[in-house]
Amino acid sequence: MRRGTVIREACAFCAQRRNLSRTIRIALVVGIVLTLINQGSVIAAGHATAATWVRCALNFVVPFLVSNAGLLSARR
């Protein structure tokens, strides 16, 4: 199977409503917890910079990607 086909199929599987709902919920919960742990004091003190907000966004992106990787590995 060609790499492009595999990637498209993987994205389609992850984008299924039941899978996307689960991975988004995981990303939201984990992202909030990580943001509070890692950046909470900076934000609360009013010292957040653009770099702080990028880090906060990554706190949500990383668990989303990891949970999708888990879905795909369980699919094999």
Side-chain angles (χ1 to χ4, degrees):
M1 195 179 294
R2 298 180 74 191
R3 179 176 286 192
T5 303
V6 172
I7 292 171
R8 276 192 298 279
E9 287 181 4
C11 289
F13 179 74
C14 291
Q16 289 177 1
R17 188 175 189 159
R18 69 168 194 238
N19 294 334
L20 194 57
S21 173
R22 181 179 299 144
T23 57
I24 287 174
R25 278 185 283 153
I26 291 168
L28 285 174
V29 171
V30 175
I32 289 169
V33 170
L34 289 175
T35 297
L36 289 174
I37 291 169
N38 296 323
Q39 305 300 326
S41 61
V42 174
I43 294 169
H47 300 294
T49 63
T52 304
W53 296 113
V54 169
R55 288 184 195 103
C56 291
L58 291 174
N59 285 334
F60 293 87
V61 172
V62 170
F64 178 75
L65 295 175
V66 170
S67 60
N68 277 296
L71 274 174
L72 294 172
S73 68
R75 185 177 181 213
R76 286 186 166 195

PDB file of all heavy atoms in Angstrom, residues 29-44:
ATOM      1  N   VAL A  29      -8.830  17.703  28.614  1.00  0.00           N
ATOM      2  CA  VAL A  29      -8.552  17.432  30.033  1.00  0.00           C
ATOM      3  C   VAL A  29      -7.056  17.490  30.314  1.00  0.00           C
ATOM      4  O   VAL A  29      -6.605  18.196  31.226  1.00  0.00           O
ATOM      5  CB  VAL A  29      -9.138  16.066  30.456  1.00  0.00           C
ATOM      6  CG1 VAL A  29      -8.674  15.675  31.846  1.00  0.00           C
ATOM      7  CG2 VAL A  29     -10.659  16.104  30.387  1.00  0.00           C
ATOM      8  N   VAL A  30      -6.281  16.772  29.534  1.00  0.00           N
ATOM      9  CA  VAL A  30      -4.830  16.738  29.757  1.00  0.00           C
ATOM     10  C   VAL A  30      -4.218  18.116  29.494  1.00  0.00           C
ATOM     11  O   VAL A  30      -3.348  18.565  30.244  1.00  0.00           O
ATOM     12  CB  VAL A  30      -4.164  15.651  28.883  1.00  0.00           C
ATOM     13  CG1 VAL A  30      -2.649  15.698  29.015  1.00  0.00           C
ATOM     14  CG2 VAL A  30      -4.681  14.274  29.263  1.00  0.00           C
ATOM     15  N   GLY A  31      -4.681  18.805  28.463  1.00  0.00           N
ATOM     16  CA  GLY A  31      -4.160  20.127  28.149  1.00  0.00           C
ATOM     17  C   GLY A  31      -4.400  21.136  29.254  1.00  0.00           C
ATOM     18  O   GLY A  31      -3.522  21.928  29.599  1.00  0.00           O
ATOM     19  N   ILE A  32      -5.597  21.104  29.833  1.00  0.00           N
ATOM     20  CA  ILE A  32      -5.893  22.017  30.946  1.00  0.00           C
ATOM     21  C   ILE A  32      -4.995  21.716  32.140  1.00  0.00           C
ATOM     22  O   ILE A  32      -4.424  22.629  32.741  1.00  0.00           O
ATOM     23  CB  ILE A  32      -7.386  21.933  31.327  1.00  0.00           C
ATOM     24  CG1 ILE A  32      -8.238  22.580  30.231  1.00  0.00           C
ATOM     25  CG2 ILE A  32      -7.652  22.595  32.675  1.00  0.00           C
ATOM     26  CD1 ILE A  32      -9.729  22.328  30.361  1.00  0.00           C
ATOM     27  N   VAL A  33      -4.864  20.452  32.469  1.00  0.00           N
ATOM     28  CA  VAL A  33      -4.026  20.067  33.612  1.00  0.00           C
ATOM     29  C   VAL A  33      -2.576  20.492  33.377  1.00  0.00           C
ATOM     30  O   VAL A  33      -1.934  21.099  34.249  1.00  0.00           O
ATOM     31  CB  VAL A  33      -4.122  18.551  33.893  1.00  0.00           C
ATOM     32  CG1 VAL A  33      -3.078  18.105  34.907  1.00  0.00           C
ATOM     33  CG2 VAL A  33      -5.523  18.189  34.361  1.00  0.00           C
ATOM     34  N   LEU A  34      -2.036  20.190  32.192  1.00  0.00           N
ATOM     35  CA  LEU A  34      -0.647  20.566  31.895  1.00  0.00           C
ATOM     36  C   LEU A  34      -0.454  22.076  31.894  1.00  0.00           C
ATOM     37  O   LEU A  34       0.566  22.576  32.378  1.00  0.00           O
ATOM     38  CB  LEU A  34      -0.215  19.982  30.548  1.00  0.00           C
ATOM     39  CG  LEU A  34      -0.014  18.480  30.503  1.00  0.00           C
ATOM     40  CD1 LEU A  34       0.285  18.027  29.072  1.00  0.00           C
ATOM     41  CD2 LEU A  34       1.105  18.054  31.442  1.00  0.00           C
ATOM     42  N   THR A  35      -1.422  22.805  31.357  1.00  0.00           N
ATOM     43  CA  THR A  35      -1.316  24.266  31.337  1.00  0.00           C
ATOM     44  C   THR A  35      -1.315  24.824  32.751  1.00  0.00           C
ATOM     45  O   THR A  35      -0.514  25.713  33.076  1.00  0.00           O
ATOM     46  CB  THR A  35      -2.456  24.875  30.507  1.00  0.00           C
ATOM     47  OG1 THR A  35      -2.322  24.414  29.152  1.00  0.00           O
ATOM     48  CG2 THR A  35      -2.406  26.391  30.517  1.00  0.00           C
ATOM     49  N   LEU A  36      -2.190  24.310  33.597  1.00  0.00           N
ATOM     50  CA  LEU A  36      -2.210  24.785  34.984  1.00  0.00           C
ATOM     51  C   LEU A  36      -0.907  24.466  35.709  1.00  0.00           C
ATOM     52  O   LEU A  36      -0.378  25.303  36.448  1.00  0.00           O
ATOM     53  CB  LEU A  36      -3.394  24.159  35.730  1.00  0.00           C
ATOM     54  CG  LEU A  36      -4.768  24.669  35.312  1.00  0.00           C
ATOM     55  CD1 LEU A  36      -5.866  23.871  36.013  1.00  0.00           C
ATOM     56  CD2 LEU A  36      -4.904  26.147  35.609  1.00  0.00           C
ATOM     57  N   ILE A  37      -0.381  23.271  35.479  1.00  0.00           N
ATOM     58  CA  ILE A  37       0.867  22.876  36.134  1.00  0.00           C
ATOM     59  C   ILE A  37       2.050  23.697  35.620  1.00  0.00           C
ATOM     60  O   ILE A  37       2.852  24.214  36.401  1.00  0.00           O
ATOM     61  CB  ILE A  37       1.145  21.372  35.933  1.00  0.00           C
ATOM     62  CG1 ILE A  37       0.133  20.539  36.703  1.00  0.00           C
ATOM     63  CG2 ILE A  37       2.573  21.009  36.336  1.00  0.00           C
ATOM     64  CD1 ILE A  37       0.165  19.060  36.363  1.00  0.00           C
ATOM     65  N   ASN A  38       2.168  23.793  34.300  1.00  0.00           N
ATOM     66  CA  ASN A  38       3.371  24.375  33.706  1.00  0.00           C
ATOM     67  C   ASN A  38       3.324  25.888  33.515  1.00  0.00           C
ATOM     68  O   ASN A  38       4.368  26.542  33.568  1.00  0.00           O
ATOM     69  CB  ASN A  38       3.650  23.709  32.358  1.00  0.00           C
ATOM     70  CG  ASN A  38       3.968  22.242  32.493  1.00  0.00           C
ATOM     71  OD1 ASN A  38       4.616  21.832  33.444  1.00  0.00           O
ATOM     72  ND2 ASN A  38       3.496  21.451  31.556  1.00  0.00           N
ATOM     73  N   GLN A  39       2.160  26.458  33.266  1.00  0.00           N
ATOM     74  CA  GLN A  39       2.086  27.877  32.938  1.00  0.00           C
ATOM     75  C   GLN A  39       1.118  28.654  33.827  1.00  0.00           C
ATOM     76  O   GLN A  39       0.971  29.867  33.671  1.00  0.00           O
ATOM     77  CB  GLN A  39       1.659  28.056  31.472  1.00  0.00           C
ATOM     78  CG  GLN A  39       2.511  27.332  30.466  1.00  0.00           C
ATOM     79  CD  GLN A  39       3.960  27.746  30.481  1.00  0.00           C
ATOM     80  OE1 GLN A  39       4.284  28.901  30.739  1.00  0.00           O
ATOM     81  NE2 GLN A  39       4.851  26.817  30.213  1.00  0.00           N
ATOM     82  N   GLY A  40       0.451  27.971  34.730  1.00  0.00           N
ATOM     83  CA  GLY A  40      -0.571  28.613  35.550  1.00  0.00           C
ATOM     84  C   GLY A  40      -0.088  29.825  36.315  1.00  0.00           C
ATOM     85  O   GLY A  40      -0.748  30.873  36.322  1.00  0.00           O
ATOM     86  N   SER A  41       1.054  29.735  36.949  1.00  0.00           N
ATOM     87  CA  SER A  41       1.555  30.862  37.753  1.00  0.00           C
ATOM     88  C   SER A  41       1.945  32.045  36.872  1.00  0.00           C
ATOM     89  O   SER A  41       1.734  33.198  37.254  1.00  0.00           O
ATOM     90  CB  SER A  41       2.738  30.419  38.614  1.00  0.00           C
ATOM     91  OG  SER A  41       3.807  29.970  37.808  1.00  0.00           O
ATOM     92  N   VAL A  42       2.488  31.770  35.700  1.00  0.00           N
ATOM     93  CA  VAL A  42       2.872  32.846  34.780  1.00  0.00           C
ATOM     94  C   VAL A  42       1.623  33.584  34.288  1.00  0.00           C
ATOM     95  O   VAL A  42       1.582  34.821  34.262  1.00  0.00           O
ATOM     96  CB  VAL A  42       3.678  32.279  33.582  1.00  0.00           C
ATOM     97  CG1 VAL A  42       3.954  33.353  32.548  1.00  0.00           C
ATOM     98  CG2 VAL A  42       4.971  31.649  34.056  1.00  0.00           C
ATOM     99  N   ILE A  43       0.599  32.820  33.930  1.00  0.00           N
ATOM    100  CA  ILE A  43      -0.641  33.425  33.446  1.00  0.00           C
ATOM    101  C   ILE A  43      -1.328  34.196  34.570  1.00  0.00           C
ATOM    102  O   ILE A  43      -1.776  35.333  34.380  1.00  0.00           O
ATOM    103  CB  ILE A  43      -1.580  32.344  32.862  1.00  0.00           C
ATOM    104  CG1 ILE A  43      -0.950  31.741  31.603  1.00  0.00           C
ATOM    105  CG2 ILE A  43      -2.956  32.920  32.550  1.00  0.00           C
ATOM    106  CD1 ILE A  43      -1.644  30.488  31.099  1.00  0.00           C
ATOM    107  N   ALA A  44      -1.405  33.600  35.765  1.00  0.00           N
ATOM    108  CA  ALA A  44      -2.057  34.252  36.901  1.00  0.00           C
ATOM    109  C   ALA A  44      -1.352  35.545  37.299  1.00  0.00           C
ATOM    110  O   ALA A  44      -2.002  36.506  37.722  1.00  0.00           O
ATOM    111  CB  ALA A  44      -2.123  33.292  38.084  1.00  0.00           C
TER     112      ALA A  44
END
